[in-house]
Amino acid sequence: MLLQTRQFGTACPWVRLTPASKRNSSVSLRRSNCGPKCSVSQLELKSESESKTKPYPAEASRTIMELAKVGTLCTLTQEGLPLGTGVRFAVDPEHGTPLFCFNSTDNTNIPSSLHVQFEQFGLRTPQCTIQGTLTKPQDPKRLVSVWRKRFGEEVDQDFIYIIAVDRVLQLEDIQEDGIWVTSSDYKNAQPDPLRDSAHNLVTEINTNNMEDITRFCNVYVDLDFLVSEAKMLWVDRLGFDMRLSSPHKGVFDVRIPFPREVTDEKGAKSTFNCMSQLAWEVERNFQHPDFSKVKELKPVKSPFL
């Protein structure tokens, strides 16, 4: 079903957008010829208005864990060397604890990490790395049903293992700054409510509403150049991320927040339609742009749009 973008007229309320704020990074990852370097600083608390433009890193990590089904589990060998292997995992919905099924009963109390990433249309790869201890759960019987729901398989509860989460490193994309998330923040966060419908919604918009998303960049973002091409990268309860390009300026990512939080696919479509209508009217001088434009553009190193 196509999204409707010309049927709201004067019934469409004004959309008031606040500028996207800069990220506060508690871990800076800088890649050089010597490999990654990490410097840890105090994570500043974001204000109420800032929190309404994009999900917190803890929420983003919980969403990645819900969407992905495979990752790289890393432990230490007897020689003390790190060894990573690909594994399937499920997630305890209560606290986001990753769980595994191993045909062994010897893997207990092992310092481990699980690296998980989720590719978004080949353009961006959000990821998180969970650090903790590989151990046996206290309630394996309940977790058997979690595994069954995710993979449709019956497993022996004696083969269920978990990683007791100590902390989580969340990155928005490859070669970008990362943020450490505490165990309590990760466990208390909730995955995004649009996560199961986001892929289809973004595909539909990029296929059927190309003029609208290009107009979004020219109307809702404070630019000194015209956008030649744009694509939506992802959508969540607070807004959507877009990648835009200009022949003379390069490629950028930009975050456009929703005027209000949405809780489901229907709400996201309705909000997108309303923002499309307003952008169309502003572009044709039918309406005055009574909203604050997004000012933050993030240059993208990758040449792919």
Side-chain angles (χ1 to χ4, degrees):
M1 185 177 78
L2 299 181
L3 294 173
Q4 300 300 313
T5 60
R6 298 287 183 270
Q7 297 182 2
F8 282 83
T10 57
C12 179
W14 281 97
V15 178
R16 298 183 182 275
L17 302 180
T18 56
S21 59
K22 294 184 178 180
R23 284 187 295 136
N24 292 321
S25 174
S26 63
V27 176
S28 178
L29 301 181
R30 303 297 183 190
R31 285 165 172 76
S32 63
N33 293 333
C34 300
K37 297 181 180 180
C38 302
S39 61
V40 182
S41 61
Q42 182 68 31
L43 178 63
E44 299 179 7
L45 294 178
K46 296 185 178 181
S47 66
E48 179 73 15
S49 61
E50 288 176 316
S51 68
K52 292 182 179 179
T53 63
K54 63 189 303 183
Y56 283 125
E59 297 178 70
S61 296
R62 287 292 303 269
T63 300
I64 293 171
M65 294 295 291
E66 289 287 343
L67 290 172
K69 294 183 178 180
V70 296
T72 301
L73 178 66
C74 187
T75 58
L76 296 178
T77 65
Q78 293 181 349
E79 294 79 16
L81 299 175
L83 175 65
T85 55
V87 294
R88 294 189 302 168
F89 68 91
V91 179
D92 183 353
E94 291 186 5
H95 301 298
T97 303
L99 59 110
F100 316 89
C101 180
F102 297 136
N103 190 17
S104 170
T105 58
D106 300 328
N107 303 312
T108 57
N109 300 321
I110 302 174
S112 307
S113 67
L114 175 67
H115 178 74
V116 179
Q117 58 187 36
F118 181 74
E119 187 176 278
Q120 295 175 343
F121 300 96
L123 301 176
R124 189 175 66 174
T125 309
Q127 52 197 281
C128 64
T129 300
I130 292 181
Q131 290 185 337
T133 303
L134 185 67
T135 186
K136 298 287 290 184
Q138 295 182 349
D139 52 351
K141 186 175 182 179
R142 180 180 64 86
L143 297 182
V144 166
S145 63
V146 175
W147 186 273
R148 183 193 309 118
K149 182 177 179 180
R150 191 156 205 181
F151 295 109
E153 299 174 353
E154 294 292 340
V155 295
D156 190 325
Q157 68 179 35
D158 292 335
F159 295 156
I160 293 291
Y161 292 82
I162 65 169
I163 288 185
V165 180
D166 291 334
R167 61 177 183 171
V168 180
L169 180 63
Q170 195 271 328
L171 285 79
E172 291 187 354
D173 199 1
I174 297 173
Q175 294 187 335
E176 289 201 2
D177 293 347
I179 294 179
W180 283 113
V181 176
T182 66
S183 174
S184 59
D185 285 346
Y186 174 79
K187 293 177 181 178
N188 292 330
Q190 294 296 321
D192 187 75
L194 296 184
R195 62 188 182 279
D196 293 328
S197 58
H199 185 277
N200 290 338
L201 182 57
V202 171
T203 299
E204 182 178 353
I205 291 174
N206 282 334
T207 302
N208 302 320
N209 300 80
M210 289 298 296
E211 291 185 5
D212 291 300
I213 61 175
T214 301
R215 186 178 295 114
F216 274 20
C217 296
N218 292 325
V219 172
Y220 290 123
V221 185
D222 188 10
L223 300 174
D224 59 357
F225 58 88
L226 290 179
V227 174
S228 60
E229 188 175 0
K231 287 184 179 179
M232 185 177 289
L233 295 174
W234 200 250
V235 62
D236 55 59
R237 64 185 179 89
L238 297 177
F240 49 91
D241 299 314
M242 301 185 66
R243 178 157 297 178
L244 55 91
S245 69
S246 166
H248 305 294
K249 295 291 186 176
V251 181
F252 300 88
D253 282 352
V254 63
R255 172 75 177 184
I256 300 180
F258 287 143
R260 63 190 61 84
E261 181 179 348
V262 301
T263 58
D264 54 26
E265 181 179 4
K266 182 179 179 180
K269 285 186 175 183
S270 176
T271 302
F272 180 87
N273 288 338
C274 198
M275 293 176 69
S276 298
Q277 176 67 25
L278 178 60
W280 182 81
E281 293 179 0
V282 169
E283 186 179 62
R284 286 158 176 75
N285 296 319
F286 296 156
Q287 294 278 13
H288 181 70
D290 186 20
F291 51 82
S292 298
K293 292 190 175 185
V294 175
K295 297 183 180 296
E296 182 185 5
L297 287 177
K298 183 172 66 176
V300 177
K301 297 179 182 179
S302 171
F304 302 106
L305 178 59

